[in-house]
Amino acid sequence: MNAPGFGLLLRRLRRQQRLSQQALAGAAGLSQRHVCFLETGRARPGARALPRLVAALALSSAEAAELVAAAGLTPAPAGLDWHAPALARLRAITAEMLAAWADVPAYVLDAGGIILARNLMFDRLLRQAPPIPPAVAGNIHDLVLHPDGLANAMTAPDQLVPALIRRLQRTAASQPAAAATLARVRHYPIVQRHGTSLPRASDLGVIAETYRIAGARWAFIAATAGFLGADQALTAGIEVEALFPADECTRRQLRDLAAQ
């Protein structure tokens, strides 16, 4: 089934961004031939390719909705509100997890990176940094990558930023909220400089997040826990993430924060 209206709209949006078909294909992880077929109506846009196109074109929510409608696809469910009664059990479980990880910074986030809940240690750690605008501090990706967040405190952006962007790209392939976040953060200076490079290999097989805040060096290994559910719209990509100390210096500094 062809989608000529979609093809015309896709071509217009691509040209607005001054992208060639090849450039759009590369940014979206598609072939140039497939993009050509989409624009000419010879191919139908699929639910997996669409979020990639939205992210690659850095579309606004209105433009993304228009493109989804032109594709003839039903928009993916945005998930339930975090405070909805149906999520009461999940809220209780995540609260127990945050309490169990009270000695390290930990937080609950949705697929787009919005911080839904956090523990006291996370707040204490952020208070060590210069004041961060609420609009930036409310999303973990903005918090780490925005120039008004922790981007300037990052000590190894060439290693961490590519890993963060690749993780977000994988989520964006199936989660519209993550695709919207990716479309926003890809324009941040630190992502423009480091987001397309390859992270260096780590002796541990994991990448440490290292920051210099208020003259002190902090090094963390992030661990993320997700949830299984019969109804994936219910969990909506909700995860709990904890930042464990990657060295003894950070471990001591966390103990000092806990004593405050």
Side-chain angles (χ1 to χ4, degrees):
M1 178 178 179
N2 294 344
F6 174 88
L8 293 174
L9 177 59
L10 179 62
R11 183 184 300 117
R12 174 169 65 81
L13 293 170
R14 173 177 62 79
R15 289 176 174 173
Q16 284 177 357
Q17 296 291 330
R18 298 183 179 180
L19 294 173
S20 65
Q21 287 185 344
Q22 185 174 2
L24 175 59
L30 305 172
S31 69
Q32 187 271 336
R33 183 185 184 201
H34 187 48
V35 171
C36 177
F37 280 13
L38 288 173
E39 290 191 353
T40 58
R42 295 176 64 185
R44 180 189 178 99
R48 290 185 61 84
L50 196 55
R52 298 180 182 182
L53 291 169
V54 169
L57 290 167
L59 299 183
S60 67
S61 57
E63 290 171 330
E66 184 181 6
L67 194 64
V68 169
L73 298 174
T74 302
L80 298 180
D81 182 88
W82 177 240
H83 299 288
L87 289 180
R89 186 179 182 187
L90 189 57
R91 288 196 303 274
I93 293 171
T94 57
E96 289 184 18
M97 295 174 71
L98 293 180
W101 287 335
D103 56 343
V104 299
Y107 45 90
V108 184
L109 66 159
D110 70 6
I114 293 176
I115 299 174
L116 303 170
R118 55 198 189 188
N119 67 4
L120 182 58
M121 184 63 80
F122 185 81
D123 287 331
R124 287 175 172 170
L125 176 63
L126 286 190
R127 284 200 291 268
Q128 305 305 302
I132 298 174
V136 173
N139 184 294
I140 194 62
H141 304 296
D142 292 316
L143 174 63
V144 173
L145 300 170
H146 194 283
D148 291 334
L150 298 176
N152 295 326
M154 196 182 298
T155 63
D158 59 327
Q159 185 174 12
L160 180 58
V161 173
L164 294 177
I165 293 302
R166 277 162 177 73
R167 173 186 171 185
L168 187 55
Q169 286 173 332
R170 288 193 296 270
T171 307
S174 60
Q175 294 281 0
T181 299
L182 177 61
R184 180 176 66 255
V185 305
R186 66 194 290 264
H187 296 291
Y188 294 165
I190 198 169
V191 178
Q192 292 283 304
R193 289 195 299 269
H194 303 288
T196 59
S197 61
L198 293 175
R200 300 192 306 269
S202 169
D203 293 338
L204 296 176
V206 293
I207 294 175
E209 298 187 29
T210 57
Y211 304 92
R212 182 158 293 279
I213 302 173
R217 181 183 182 274
W218 299 83
F220 297 102
I221 299 295
T224 305
F227 301 91
L228 293 176
D231 184 354
Q232 293 302 312
L234 187 64
T235 57
I238 293 171
E239 296 177 330
V240 181
E241 189 161 274
L243 302 177
F244 292 93
D247 56 31
E248 185 57 36
C249 178
T250 300
R251 187 172 288 104
R252 287 197 304 268
Q253 290 169 172
L254 288 176
R255 286 198 293 263
D256 291 342
L257 281 185
Q260 294 180 7

